[in-house]
Amino acid sequence: MKVKQRLKINSILTAITALVILLVLLLGLNEVRKAVRASELSNSLITAFLERSTFRSDYVRTGNERAKKQWLAKHEQINLLLKSASDKLRNPEDQKTILELIKDQEITGKLFSNIVESRERPKPDASSADMAQEREDRLTAQLEMRLYDKALLVGQLHESAKNHLYSVLMQASVGITGALAVLIAAAVINTWFMNRTFMDRIRRLSKGVTVIGGGELDYKVDVIGNDEFTELSDAFNTMSS
């Protein structure tokens, strides 16, 4: 194999390794973006849950119509966030968690509707008012408990996103390290073989030049192969014959 071809092999190996590293980086960055979006989505969910809880507390405390509308608007925003999460987070465990959140969302909506209905229903006497208040307190307590459950579920989504990000970074590191290791090993082997071959040929050519230069024109330079050194040795042999 000619010197030019050996050098070309090194260049090709370098180019292939660069492409592999670029591909690993692009795939890794895509997965990192997914993990970051999942983390941001989980943060948005927990923020929305807390804000909705604040609006619910305001409504229960004051009966403010504006607080009720804000609660309903925030409830709809959470529906949209959960739909987005269901579309974007394809991990089976994440899908299971999202499904639980969606079910909880439906129950939460019904509980708040019951509170609103109890608030707005006429109360003809003190006994009815006391019963309504007791029922409202139970519904409110159930909503409070569900808030903690939701926080745990969203925490699972956040932890899943963090683990996925760590996994992606580890895979990218292994992929890049592996590609570099293959390149270095191939380049070292090819370079070592080239150096060994070149030094042997140079030694033979140097000896031939010395012997022929000393007047021994019948001497033949013994270089066997199919590279530029062989061509040069053939030229020396032709000149001396």
Side-chain angles (χ1 to χ4, degrees):
M1 186 181 293
K2 293 189 175 183
V3 175
K4 184 190 296 185
Q5 292 175 317
R6 293 186 182 279
L7 293 175
K8 189 176 181 180
I9 288 174
N10 273 353
S11 299
I12 292 173
L13 287 173
T14 302
I16 291 175
T17 304
L19 288 174
V20 170
I21 291 174
L22 180 60
L23 180 62
V24 170
L25 286 174
L26 289 175
L27 292 174
L29 285 174
N30 184 52
E31 292 301 316
V32 166
R33 281 195 293 269
K34 290 180 181 179
V36 170
R37 283 200 299 268
S39 180
E40 291 174 346
L41 194 54
S42 64
N43 289 335
S44 297
L45 278 169
I46 192 62
T47 299
F49 287 139
L50 292 173
E51 290 176 347
R52 187 180 62 180
S53 178
T54 300
F55 296 142
R56 186 258 305 156
S57 297
D58 188 18
Y59 176 74
V60 169
R61 186 179 68 257
T62 65
N64 191 310
E65 185 68 18
R66 182 170 178 270
K68 182 180 79 172
K69 291 179 178 179
Q70 287 176 318
W71 189 98
L72 293 172
K74 188 61 63 175
H75 188 74
E76 182 58 28
Q77 179 190 354
I78 292 172
N79 284 334
L80 295 175
L81 286 172
L82 289 174
K83 184 179 184 305
S84 177
S86 180
D87 293 337
K88 293 178 180 177
L89 307 182
R90 308 310 303 174
N91 181 284
E93 287 300 318
D94 290 343
Q95 285 287 312
K96 182 179 177 181
T97 301
I98 293 167
L99 184 60
E100 290 185 41
L101 285 169
I102 291 174
K103 290 179 179 178
D104 182 89
Q105 179 76 351
E106 294 174 357
I107 295 173
T108 298
K110 292 177 181 178
L111 288 173
F112 186 76
S113 295
N114 289 337
I115 291 176
V116 172
E117 180 185 349
S118 177
R119 274 293 176 98
E120 296 178 350
R121 182 185 301 153
K123 303 172 183 60
D125 51 45
S127 176
S128 298
D130 290 341
M131 290 179 62
Q133 184 61 51
E134 183 180 348
R135 181 169 181 267
E136 183 179 307
D137 290 342
R138 288 199 306 269
L139 293 171
T140 301
Q142 291 180 52
L143 285 175
E144 287 285 356
M145 292 180 63
R146 288 192 170 277
L147 177 61
Y148 296 116
D149 292 338
K150 284 188 280 286
L152 290 174
L153 290 173
V154 175
Q156 292 176 12
L157 289 179
H158 187 78
E159 187 68 19
S160 175
K162 185 177 73 172
N163 291 338
H164 181 58
L165 179 59
Y166 177 76
S167 175
V168 168
L169 293 176
M170 286 297 295
Q171 290 174 6
S173 299
V174 171
I176 292 173
T177 302
L180 287 174
V182 170
L183 169 65
I184 293 171
V188 166
I189 292 172
N190 193 43
T191 302
W192 174 82
F193 189 78
M194 286 173 63
N195 288 337
R196 182 180 178 186
T197 303
F198 292 173
M199 291 305 296
D200 179 67
R201 279 157 168 65
I202 290 171
R203 181 181 59 78
R204 291 173 183 271
L205 285 170
S206 178
K207 179 180 178 181
V209 169
T210 301
V211 173
I212 293 172
E216 192 175 335
L217 300 179
D218 292 335
Y219 182 83
K220 300 297 181 183
V221 179
D222 183 21
V223 175
I224 300 173
N226 184 29
D227 56 22
E228 291 83 350
F229 291 102
T230 306
E231 294 173 359
L232 184 57
S233 70
D234 290 342
F236 270 108
N237 292 335
T238 301
M239 285 190 301
S240 63
S241 59

